[in-house]
Amino acid sequence: MPDNQSRDALSLFTHDKTSGKTAGTLTADGEKKAIAYWIKCLEIIKDNVSPHIFNTWFEPIKALRWENKQLTVKVPSQFFCEWIEDQYYSLLQKTISQVLGEDAKLLYQIVVDESDSKVDKRTIKLPAFKFPPQPSNIGIVDGTSDRKTFTTNLNPKYTFNNFVRGESNQLAYAAGLAISQDPGKTRYNPLVVYGDVGLGKTHLVQGIGNKILQNYKKSRVLYTTSERFTQDFINAIQNNTQNEFINFYRSIDTLIVDDIQFFCGKEKTTDNFFHTFNALYQDRKQIILTSDRPPRDLKDLDERLISRYQWGLIVDIQQPDLEMRMAILQKKSVDEGIELPVEIVEYIAKYVTNSIRELEGTLISLIAKYTFENKPLNLALAKEVVNGITKKEPKPVTIDDIKELVSNYYKMPVESLESQSRKHEIALARQMAIYLTKQFTQLSLKSIGAGFSNRDHSTILHSCQTIENYLVTDPSVKAAYEHLHKTLKSK
Ligand code: ADP
Ligand code: MG
């Protein structure tokens, strides 16, 4: 997502108001070549991704022109182009150099809502590969650690400002905020953030790094991954520059190492990392690490390291709940300049539940279809996109789901809900199940009655009324209802 910083950066690029003014024949020729080259690129890409990915992300891209060894293509949004760069960087890079040659470049031109005539038809040129993998740090910094040439590897698009907070990441965020105010000096050293893929670990730890730089301009913050650390170490051995390697890493004020699970099994690298860790820790420098699993499950990782992690804070990021998924969609769509109707936000948040990355993918695909294919922004479009992304038909909640949930909650067999018993707990659970069935399914009163031992429709209405009364008068029933309601909503 573009944050303020990258939006500012964008304005440095020229707004493309000149594209149509180039001499006719040259433009036509450049356009033909562009199309031919792009078709070749697409052929390669098609062989390397699934048909679904191809249709969603590559088919919408149109070739515009070829000039000065630069192929300009049209993409539907800034977000779309960042997503492609994030996810398919190496595939694009390989393809471009194979088809167009090593020194060729890909330029994106972003179309700002073509369908809206009031909007200035601005396009923005972005050089492709905005955040190319940095060359090894070792070569960049000499022994004197010249600040001017120091590369943090931080991506400015990951900030605290565009990090949505919720229950699932509250603690990790709070620790990150504290660290950014006083790196190395809080109890959270090291900070280890773990959690499943796509839940925001990289975003958060880079956000901390960016915030530290804002607060302490001269601080040396380095973001790296365990893989890059390993590669640097191997290079140092090969080039006989171990001392530089050691000096460089020990000159860092805040060291962020992403995805430490890849250290597992690499004995020599871990040993080296252990010494780097100790040296930094003793100097009260900040260390921030991420992993896709809790440190105790990092098999084959040096026991000494695992015990070091206990010195600070180990915190997980969990799956976002429904409300948070909605908040993320809302924030990201507003950042994209699109106001999503709330029913679309609810729909996507309800069915795209695996990760925030998947949520983002759905949103980008939706915006692409809306701007590029001129489809109306409605529930049908959301359904189309969600089905494509999750590849599963969203399943509506059924009466059986509700019976099972309620009977588990009240710790009684499903049969009790269907029985004629008038015992208070059983009657209450049954009324709750009936009330939820009325809310969550499209069933008529008659069909609901049929699902509860053929009760008639006035009994069903009475049950609903009873629960509604309890919701006002009885906090424990209200709490039960809220819990069950939330569970069904996030199903
Ligand atoms: P991980 O490192 O855990 O695999 P990432 O940090 O790469 O996950 O997050 C995946 C995507 O989701 C990124 O584009 C990131 O910006 C976005 N994202 C994750 N968490 C949040 C959040 N809390 N608020 C906003 N965007 C988020
Ligand atoms: Mg990550």
Side-chain angles (χ1 to χ4, degrees), residues 177-300:
L177 188 66
I179 288 172
S180 69
Q181 282 153 4
D182 211 0
K185 311 291 183 297
T186 67
R187 280 175 295 136
Y188 315 128
N189 199 19
L191 174 69
V192 184
V193 182
Y194 73 91
D196 282 342
V197 172
L199 295 184
K201 301 182 295 295
T202 299
H203 187 142
L204 179 70
V205 296
Q206 293 220 24
I208 302 174
N210 281 317
K211 192 74 187 171
I212 293 177
L213 277 183
Q214 230 179 47
N215 293 343
Y216 300 87
K217 301 215 164 30
K218 295 188 171 165
S219 182
R220 287 167 68 81
V221 179
L222 179 76
Y223 168 85
T224 188
T225 62
S226 59
E227 287 150 308
R228 196 183 293 178
F229 184 92
T230 307
Q231 193 53 49
D232 282 351
F233 180 55
I234 293 170
N235 290 347
I237 294 175
Q238 279 170 355
N239 303 333
N240 214 1
T241 51
Q242 280 112 312
N243 279 343
E244 279 174 45
F245 176 91
I246 290 169
N247 290 340
F248 171 73
Y249 274 98
R250 292 183 188 181
S251 74
I252 304 297
D253 297 319
T254 295
L255 176 63
I256 305 170
V257 185
D258 211 351
D259 291 320
I260 54 166
Q261 68 272 10
F262 296 121
F263 274 146
C264 292
K266 296 182 182 124
E267 228 175 276
K268 276 209 172 125
T269 314
T270 343
D271 190 50
N272 192 286
F273 181 65
F274 177 74
H275 293 302
T276 309
F277 182 105
N278 283 345
L280 290 177
Y281 186 84
Q282 269 159 21
D283 281 353
R284 304 194 74 189
K285 303 297 180 59
Q286 181 69 44
I287 300 156
I288 302 173
L289 310 168
T290 78
S291 160
D292 69 351
R293 63 204 83 163
R296 62 171 183 279
D297 293 347
L298 289 167
K299 304 243 154 38
D300 297 332

Side-chain angles (χ1 to χ4, degrees), residues 373-429:
E373 296 174 22
N374 265 335
K375 294 200 169 167
L377 197 54
N378 55 22
L379 210 51
L381 182 64
K383 285 185 183 169
E384 181 187 326
V385 174
V386 167
N387 284 342
I389 297 260
T390 61
K391 295 202 202 72
K392 60 176 187 229
E393 276 288 333
K395 278 210 220 102
V397 174
T398 66
I399 189 166
D400 289 338
D401 296 335
I402 295 173
K403 282 184 193 172
E404 194 186 322
L405 179 73
V406 172
S407 64
N408 279 340
Y409 181 84
Y410 286 103
K411 301 198 173 49
M412 61 180 69
V414 172
E415 292 74 43
S416 302
L417 298 179
E418 294 163 344
S419 72
Q420 302 295 336
S421 168
R422 287 172 183 268
K423 252 176 100 180
H424 176 71
E425 312 93 79
I426 297 183
L428 175 66

Side-chain angles (χ1 to χ4, degrees), residues 36-49:
Y37 283 146
W38 186 238
I39 289 174
K40 278 194 185 158
C41 292
L42 286 180
E43 279 164 9
I44 297 178
I45 292 169
K46 206 170 191 167
D47 287 341
N48 285 282
V49 297

Side-chain angles (χ1 to χ4, degrees), residues 163-174 199 204 315-318 324 328 356:
F163 187 76
V164 177
R165 271 113 62 195
E167 242 173 73
S168 61
N169 59 21
Q170 213 164 22
L171 188 55
Y173 173 80
L199 295 184
L204 179 70
V315 63
D316 67 336
I317 297 191
Q318 293 158 0
M324 185 165 163
I328 287 171
I356 297 176

